[in-house]
Amino acid sequence: MDADNPNRKNRDTPQWALYQRENFWKINDGEKPLFNTEPGKLEDLAKEKLTQGGWYYASSNAGSSYTHLANRQAFYRHKIIPRQLVDTNVRTTSTTIFGHKVSAPIGFAPIGINKIYHPLGELPVAKVAKELNLPYCLSTAGSTAIEDVAAANGDGPRFYQLYMPHDDELTVSLLTRAFKSGFDVCILTTDTWQLGWRHDDVAEGNYAFYRGIGADLGLTDPVFQKRLAAAGIDPKKDPQRAGAMWIDNVWHGRAHDWSKIPWLIKTWKEISGGKPFCLKGIQSVADAKKAVEVGVDGIVVSNHAGRQVDGAIASLDALENIVAAVGDKTYIMFDSGVRGGSDVCKALALGAKFVWVGRLWVWGLSIMGEAGVRHVMKSLLADFDILMTVGGFQNVEQMMDRDILGKVSLGELLARMVKSPLIVII
């Protein structure tokens, strides 16, 4: 690839594709690329680096992993139809999400307890997100104080993902802290009042919060500190009970219902001065219509990457149904099962405006901390940028077209599964 490509100066985003050349050239300088970012090899390397508990928590899925499997199969069924002899020399990967112009329609999905993957937890992830100008979403189950994550993210675009307690004062405190720290979109996760049944985690008693690990976001909250004091718990002397009390307020096993959503929207809008509010975890058309009815600004079509309900619909299949029903009425985002630039393209073609990525950057964080996150996400951006030029896309909007996709027949899928069982597990 020509490093002096004259079109570079006319692009409004970096020429991410040059990261391929950088890695090809390293051997000449006595270096090697950091590690292989092929998803299967990436996952294997992360397994080597992580503790057993860290590996189980990062890799586990609900039940028999059938929903995780369905997510990957759905991507396989849809096929990109490339166009040729298109002038993609001044292409752009940029898009806009809730007023933020960002480098690509790709964001850092909210994932909790980052300190079980790396001692610095969420900080290096937030730093890299800012550096790449990609949205970063902080989980309520995060293992670092909201304010510290914001400092690491600098002036990067950042959203706050809420697991809503049944303690309204605590909810208000969390949202207030988030907005004061520059998180200007609230995303309520609706599918995790309690963790799904994940066999490995249960078998090993693998719950970091009950071991006194990862509750820093809660332990730094002034309202929760009052709750700890009232319960007679000193988090320094008894981190296990403090961690348990925090997470039992977050993943409490007590469902909220639609009647609570108007209060939450109103509360967030008052705190933030009218900033966007979204729901994450929507899979049914009925729920998508209800979300629009109650006034959300966006939804994330997500099955939590197959970690909550086993045997559920693939998130990509749910996306098609939901876009057909409410695609013109709200801002639709997507996550679950994304492993490369082509997956991002397919989700956009099926109607998503934005795509969240999770496990890929978790593996990078686990392998090499900040450098690992940067390598994985720059590789993903390069993959996406190269797809645009070789696939004939000048901008993201041109990917938002159902006609760019063909579809594999069920017969072909079954035949391929027989010949190559890997299709069903990657």
Side-chain angles (χ1 to χ4, degrees), residues 142-161:
S143 50
T144 308
I146 293 172
E147 296 77 9
D148 293 343
V149 176
N153 191 236
D155 60 359
R158 51 184 177 269
F159 305 167
Y160 181 70
Q161 176 269 331

Side-chain angles (χ1 to χ4, degrees), residues 92-149:
T92 176
T93 59
S94 69
T95 193
T96 300
I97 177 171
F98 296 125
H100 298 284
K101 185 174 182 181
V102 295
S103 293
I106 298 168
F108 286 72
I111 294 181
I113 338 175
N114 287 188
K115 283 185 179 176
I116 65 175
Y117 310 125
H118 189 273
L120 294 178
E122 288 74 12
L123 299 181
V125 187
K127 178 182 177 183
V128 172
K130 187 269 180 188
E131 176 186 312
L132 301 178
N133 189 32
L134 298 176
Y136 172 81
C137 192
L138 173 64
S139 170
T140 299
S143 50
T144 308
I146 293 172
E147 296 77 9
D148 293 343
V149 176

Side-chain angles (χ1 to χ4, degrees), residues 29 36 46 49 59 64 88 133 168 185 210 213-214 225 229 251 257 276 278 309 312 344 359:
D29 295 331
N36 193 326
K49 298 286 187 179
S59 64
S64 298
T88 57
N133 189 32
D168 288 351
V185 177
Y210 282 10
I213 299 168
Q225 289 170 350
W251 293 330
D257 62 28
C278 306
V309 177
V344 174
R359 275 176 166 146

Side-chain angles (χ1 to χ4, degrees), residues 10 16 22 60 100 106 120 125 141 169 193 196 203 231 243 262 269 276 297 320 330 395 405:
N10 298 319
W16 302 112
E22 289 177 32
S60 62
H100 298 284
I106 298 168
L120 294 178
V125 187
E169 187 183 2
W193 314 127
K269 297 285 186 179
D297 300 292
E320 283 195 89
T330 194
N395 53 55
L405 296 182

Side-chain angles (χ1 to χ4, degrees), residues 2 4 12 60 66 116 139 202 226 245 257 265 312 327 355 362 382 398 426:
D2 183 4
D4 298 317
D12 66 351
S60 62
Y66 290 146
I116 65 175
S139 170
V202 175
K226 289 195 303 181
M245 184 173 171
D257 62 28
I265 294 175
V355 177
V362 165
Q398 290 179 0
I426 59 175

Side-chain angles (χ1 to χ4, degrees), residues 46 49-50 58 116-118 361-369 373:
K49 298 286 187 179
L50 287 169
I116 65 175
Y117 310 125
H118 189 273
W361 66 255
V362 165
W363 301 142
L365 179 66
S366 305
I367 294 164
M368 203 173 283
V373 175

Side-chain angles (χ1 to χ4, degrees), residues 26 38 52 55 71 73 80 82 112 129 147 159 217 221 244-245 264 281 330 355 375 388 408 418 424:
K26 283 181 181 289
E38 188 279 320
Q52 184 184 67
W55 166 250
N71 285 335
Q73 288 176 330
I80 297 167
E147 296 77 9
F159 305 167
L217 191 150
D221 188 273
M245 184 173 171
L264 184 58
T330 194
V355 177
H375 179 53
M388 292 187 76
V408 175
V418 170
V424 306

